[in-house]
Amino acid sequence: MMQHFRAWPVLLAVVAFTACNQGGAKQGKNNTADTALVPATPAGTVAVDISGKDKDTQEIAIKFQIKGLTKEKKFEQVVLKDAPDAEVYKVLWDEPNSCYIGVLKANHAVRYYHASLDDAGNPKVLWATAPPERIWKYMENTMGLGKVTASAEQVKKYSKNLQSGKIIADFIAEIRPDNSPDSVELYVEFGGVRKSMFIAVPKGYQPTIQQTSEANHVYFSLTKDGKAEPFIDLHVENGRLQVVTLKEIKKD
C-alpha cells in the first residue's frame, strides 16, 4: 500500500512548539518577553537525578538546597531517552532563590519545574505548568533546550531488518531528492506499507535521518551548526509503521 502526499513546508521558526506542556499554552503574571533575562547568581544549589530509563515512565528527583534548608521532591515523567542528561534537562536561576528546571518529554516538548521559597522562607519544588514566557524562551532558544545535538549517527538512508509483532520486514527511512532544490522526499516503509512525504527544507539546514538506540526508531531531523532538531518521529510498533509529526507544519 503506497501513500503519497505533499506536506506543507516545515517552518523552523515554530520553536515554540517545544514549549507546550500538559498545562496548555504558557501564561503567567510575568509572561513578558520585553525584559531581557540575565541568569542570577544562585544562593543555593539544585541537583537533578533521572532514574528508571529502562522503564516506560521515569522518575525525576529534584533536590533543592538553600539557606541551610533542603527540599527534595520526586516526579514521574516520560523522558526523552535517546540523548545525554546534559541535553535532556537544563537548569536556569532567574533569581538567587528561584530556579527553573526544564525536562524534555519523549515527544520533545518540555515540562518545567520550579524551585523557590514559600512565604515563610522554606524551600519548595513544584511542577510549573505555566512558566513565564521569558523563562521558557531563554531556556529553549538561548540555552537550546529541546534541540538535541547531532551526537546520534545521521544518514540519508536507514534500513534495518526487524521483527515487530508477527511481521518480519525491512524498516526503511530514506531522504530522496525532490524536483525542487528547496525540498526533499521522505520515504518510509515497513511490512508492505509505504509512505512518501515531500518536505520543504529551510535555507541553511540539512535534512537527515537521525538514528536512536532502538532499531525500530529514527527521526527525520534538520541540522545546522552541529545541532539536529527532530521534526518527524518514525518508528515501528506492534507491526505497524508509525509516522508522528513533532513540530507544527504550516502554510507559508
Side-chain angles (χ1 to χ4, degrees):
M1 180 173 60
M2 180 69 172
Q3 299 186 29
H4 190 85
F5 56 91
R6 182 173 290 271
W8 291 112
V10 177
L11 297 183
L12 193 67
V14 191
V15 178
F17 178 93
T18 62
C20 297
N21 59 30
Q22 293 181 355
K26 292 187 180 68
Q27 298 175 351
K29 62 182 180 180
N30 295 322
N31 189 15
T32 174
D34 296 333
T35 304
L37 191 150
V38 178
T41 300
T45 62
V46 163
V48 181
D49 180 68
I50 302 175
S51 60
K53 290 189 176 181
D54 57 334
K55 300 178 181 178
D56 292 337
T57 301
Q58 288 65 59
E59 183 178 82
I60 301 170
I62 300 176
K63 186 176 183 180
F64 180 38
Q65 294 180 301
I66 190 167
K67 296 183 177 180
L69 302 172
T70 300
K71 177 67 176 182
E72 185 170 1
K73 195 165 182 181
K74 296 180 180 179
F75 303 87
E76 288 190 347
Q77 175 182 335
V78 179
V79 173
L80 180 68
K81 297 181 181 180
D82 300 307
D85 283 353
E87 295 178 9
V88 170
Y89 73 86
K90 301 285 186 183
V91 175
L92 171 65
W93 290 83
D94 63 314
E95 297 177 7
N97 58 358
S98 172
C99 174
Y100 283 88
I101 303 99
V103 184
L104 276 180
K105 299 197 292 185
N107 64 356
H108 292 265
V110 182
R111 177 178 286 183
Y112 285 93
Y113 303 93
H114 187 207
S116 61
L117 299 178
D118 62 19
D119 293 339
N122 297 314
K124 62 180 180 178
V125 181
L126 302 173
W127 174 24
T129 58
E133 182 178 356
R134 69 192 197 103
I135 297 295
W136 64 258
K137 278 194 171 182
Y138 188 92
M139 295 186 76
E140 295 174 29
N141 296 346
T142 304
M143 299 179 73
L145 180 60
K147 297 183 172 116
V148 180
T149 65
S151 55
E153 185 176 356
Q154 299 175 41
V155 295
K156 293 299 182 182
K157 180 177 180 179
Y158 176 82
S159 180
K160 186 74 174 181
N161 186 265
L162 54 87
Q163 179 173 356
S164 179
K166 297 181 179 180
I167 299 177
I168 300 176
D170 288 338
F171 173 40
I172 299 172
E174 182 179 2
I175 295 173
R176 299 173 174 176
D178 188 20
N179 293 331
S180 169
D182 299 326
S183 65
V184 295
E185 176 187 358
L186 173 61
Y187 173 84
V188 290
E189 173 185 334
F190 181 77
V193 176
R194 302 177 180 88
K195 295 185 179 182
S196 186
M197 296 154 279
F198 293 84
I199 303 172
V201 178
K203 185 177 180 180
Y205 289 81
Q206 294 296 321
T208 186
I209 301 297
Q210 188 174 12
Q211 300 182 48
T212 74
S213 59
E214 301 172 330
N216 65 334
H217 188 191
V218 298
Y219 295 108
F220 170 81
S221 300
L222 296 176
T223 65
K224 184 179 181 181
D225 298 330
K227 295 283 186 178
E229 186 171 4
F231 274 75
I232 303 177
D233 185 315
L234 309 166
H235 65 276
V236 177
E237 183 178 352
N238 296 325
R240 294 179 178 272
L241 178 63
Q242 305 288 333
V243 178
V244 182
T245 299
L246 300 174
K247 301 296 174 74
E248 188 175 356
I249 300 176
K250 287 185 174 182
K251 298 180 182 180
D252 287 332

